Amino acid sequence: MSSTPVVVALGGNALLRRGEPTDAATQRRNVARAMTSLAALAARGPLVVTHGNGPQVGLLALQAAAYDDAEPYPLDVLGAETEGMIGYLLEQELRNVLPGREVATLLTQVVVDPDDQAFTRPTKPIGPTYSERAADELRRARGWTVDRDGTSWRRVVASPEPRQVVELSTIRLLLAAGTVVICVGGGGIPVTLVDGQVLRGVEAVIDKDLAAALLAVELDARALLLLTDVTAVQDGWDTGEPRPIRRATPDELRARKLAAGSMGPKVEAASRFAEQTGRAAAIGALDEAELLLDGVHGTTVACR
Ligand SMILES: Nc1ncnc2c1ncn2[C@@H]1O[C@H](COP(=O)(O)OP(=O)(O)O)[C@@H](O)[C@H]1O
Ligand SMILES: [Mg+2]
């Protein structure tokens, strides 16, 4: 068994697919599929599982807005809720497919810079999809920023750069004990360090792919796998004839300017990991984790 972990990032949109009902049973079914795929990885060595929360955090924000006797909870608190909710589903299914293996879900805070430009330019889609007209209505009624996501519209919020994983030493301790660690959910709970030491939550959602890359670099991971609802990065995605990219360098992928709210951050995350560790990252389907690790499916991102 290798001693350095594989870091896996699960897509929030893959756990709650676009257009699917957003209930717990649907999510549990998708989680079960994904965990079967991860069990094979866990059998091969240390494993860290991170996950997105875009659809889920947006759903919580909507539920909060339905009750108007209390100010809606801010996004850092909702982020923590999604780490609990999604983490619980992942942990339970992982334990079911990995009898005898310890699995722990860790609430994780990630430090961002309060002066990050992202706070003046929201880009991260959260919550369900809307028609253009419904999105316009929400923009007026709630003061949200909305933007196009594929063929529909979604709320977008600030997505600052992840700088530091607060609970990094605890993650290392758990890994050293052989525990599968579920952490940095939803990109981590966004916090700032006031006067260099006091943690305070901020109103943002950190990109889970970039946070997973930061974590994978900090852990000196053996590989970073970005699992989503497509089998590979496609060349000519929005032409009628997309072609899967099997292998590319960070420079080749960055030159393609991929979709900012979806594939862009995955490619950037994979590129950062490849550049900073010299090892390969892969992007591909949620249920093909082992094939991605072995480089036989998906898109492998490596410096040469
Ligand atoms: N070049 C591309 N190749 C493949 N998928 C792309 C590309 N550009 C945009 N996408 C979109 O990226 C989506 C995956 O990213 P995203 O929706 O953020 O999922 P996740 O929740 O897994 O992070 C795909 O479902 C696809 O619609
Ligand atoms: Mg995404």
Side-chain angles (χ1 to χ4, degrees):
M1 255 195 199
S2 157
S3 65
T4 53
V6 171
V7 174
V8 166
L10 304 175
N13 289 314
L15 297 178
L16 217 49
R17 282 176 271 178
R18 286 181 188 76
E20 256 185 355
T22 53
D23 56 82
T26 306
Q27 194 160 188
R28 190 179 280 282
R29 238 184 347 264
N30 291 339
V31 165
R33 251 185 54 227
M35 292 312 97
T36 305
S37 155
L38 293 197
L41 287 187
R44 286 167 57 167
L47 178 66
V48 177
V49 182
T50 75
H51 58 84
N53 71 348
Q56 295 83 355
V57 78
L59 198 61
L60 284 180
L62 283 174
Q63 288 172 347
Y67 176 69
D68 48 20
D69 274 359
E71 274 291 296
Y73 281 88
L75 285 170
D76 60 315
V77 176
L78 299 185
E81 285 188 47
T82 66
E83 283 194 340
M85 170 175 76
I86 304 170
Y88 157 63
L89 293 172
L90 296 178
E91 178 174 332
Q92 192 174 65
E93 291 299 339
L94 259 187
R95 281 179 177 272
N96 287 342
V97 291
L98 291 170
R101 187 79 174 265
E102 276 306 310
V103 182
T105 306
L106 189 68
L107 282 182
T108 320
Q109 304 168 81
V110 170
V111 177
V112 302
D113 179 350
D115 296 324
D116 197 303
Q117 280 199 6
F119 288 106
T120 55
R121 210 170 22 85
T123 54
K124 179 75 187 164
I126 62 167
T129 55
Y130 302 102
S131 68
E132 185 170 4
R133 184 193 299 186
D136 243 6
E137 187 54 43
L138 288 163
R139 179 180 3 227
R140 271 196 300 275
R142 303 237 171 102
W144 289 355
T145 308
V146 295
D147 202 357
R148 195 181 277 283
D149 180 32
T151 55
S152 42
W153 290 70
R154 286 172 87 186
R155 178 186 180 191
V156 288
V157 300
S159 184
E161 272 287 322
R163 304 274 175 200
Q164 186 195 328
V165 178
V166 174
E167 288 80 2
L168 190 63
S169 316
T170 308
I171 297 170
R172 288 204 178 103
L173 273 176
L174 288 166
L175 283 172
T179 305
V180 176
V181 189
I182 300 165
C183 61
V184 193
I189 303 160
V191 297
T192 53
L193 268 178
V194 183
D195 298 329
Q197 53 177 352
V198 180
L199 296 166
R200 196 153 290 156
V202 292
E203 185 80 339
V205 170
I206 301 172
D207 184 86
K208 70 106 181 11
D209 298 311
L210 298 183
L214 173 68
L215 178 67
V217 168
E218 292 290 328
L219 292 174
D220 199 26
R222 173 174 162 221
L224 170 64
L225 307 182
L226 301 151
L227 306 184
T228 185
D229 59 356
V230 289
T231 53
V233 186
Q234 310 282 328
D235 207 1
W237 172 248
D238 42 16
T239 67
E241 281 176 63
R243 285 179 316 280
I245 301 170
R246 282 288 302 123
R247 191 182 174 91
T249 65
D251 289 344
E252 286 163 357
L253 285 175
R254 287 205 182 100
R256 288 191 159 93
K257 306 233 180 313
L258 295 151
S262 55
M263 196 45 80
K266 281 185 220 309
V267 159
E268 180 58 27
S271 298
R272 288 181 190 181
F273 178 76
E275 286 166 344
Q276 289 172 44
T277 65
R279 289 188 281 278
I283 302 171
L286 196 59
D287 47 12
E288 297 190 336
E290 211 178 5
L291 296 172
L292 291 177
L293 181 62
D294 293 337
V296 289
H297 271 199
T299 301
T300 299
V301 183
C303 287
R304 48 186 174 79

